[in-house]
Amino acid sequence: MVIDKMLAIQAGIKKEKLAIALEPEAASIFCQKLKTDRSGNEFDETVKSGMKYMVIDLGGGTADITVHQRKPDGTIQEVVSPSGGPWGGKSIDEAFHKFLCEICGTKVMQDLKSTELEDYID
């Protein structure tokens, strides 16, 4: 975290304008101004004071989950600390590849990858 701050300052970001947040907090803050329905309501109009909501980050390698609560003053409080595991998209890809190897055989999958890479990726 200290290195991140030093690099940001070196890049010209003023120290008093710099805040570093974890992904779930950054996502939660970003979502505060998203439209949440077709009538144009924003998140902060939908999630009222006291309501809890889940922030789920489904990345390539991991899935991270936390719970936040909107406080009466409009701030956000973390209710459940971030947790998760290696359940991101890569894990699904790997499991599917293993499944195909069990059905077709590892050699067939290797041959497909080396001769028809586009089909293999699809």
Side-chain angles (χ1 to χ4, degrees):
M1 190 79 77
V2 172
I3 293 172
D4 293 340
K5 285 185 178 183
M6 291 178 359
L7 292 173
I9 291 167
Q10 286 177 359
I13 299 172
K14 294 182 179 170
K15 192 184 283 188
E16 61 275 3
K17 298 286 185 180
L18 177 64
I20 296 180
L22 298 172
E23 279 183 303
E25 285 78 17
S28 187
I29 292 166
F30 174 79
C31 289
Q32 300 305 305
K33 293 301 175 186
L34 287 179
K35 304 296 182 203
T36 56
D37 60 25
R38 291 180 187 213
S39 63
N41 286 336
E42 292 183 349
F43 184 87
D44 60 358
E45 296 170 312
T46 304
V47 177
K48 306 293 185 205
S49 174
M51 289 178 76
K52 296 175 186 171
Y53 57 94
M54 192 176 292
V55 178
I56 303 172
D57 174 10
L58 299 175
T62 62
D64 301 302
I65 304 166
T66 187
V67 176
H68 290 170
Q69 181 176 26
R70 177 175 285 286
K71 305 304 285 179
D73 64 0
T75 60
I76 301 164
Q77 177 184 359
E78 184 178 85
V79 178
V80 177
S81 298
S83 64
W87 311 303
K90 288 181 185 176
S91 298
I92 294 167
D93 291 346
E94 289 168 5
F96 186 65
H97 182 265
K98 183 179 175 185
F99 172 70
L100 290 176
C101 285
E102 289 172 8
I103 293 172
C104 303
T106 304
K107 176 146 177 33
V108 169
M109 293 305 294
Q110 288 172 342
D111 289 347
L112 179 64
K113 184 176 182 180
S114 64
T115 60
E116 301 292 338
L117 185 58
E118 189 174 336
D119 290 336
Y120 173 82
I121 291 170
D122 283 344

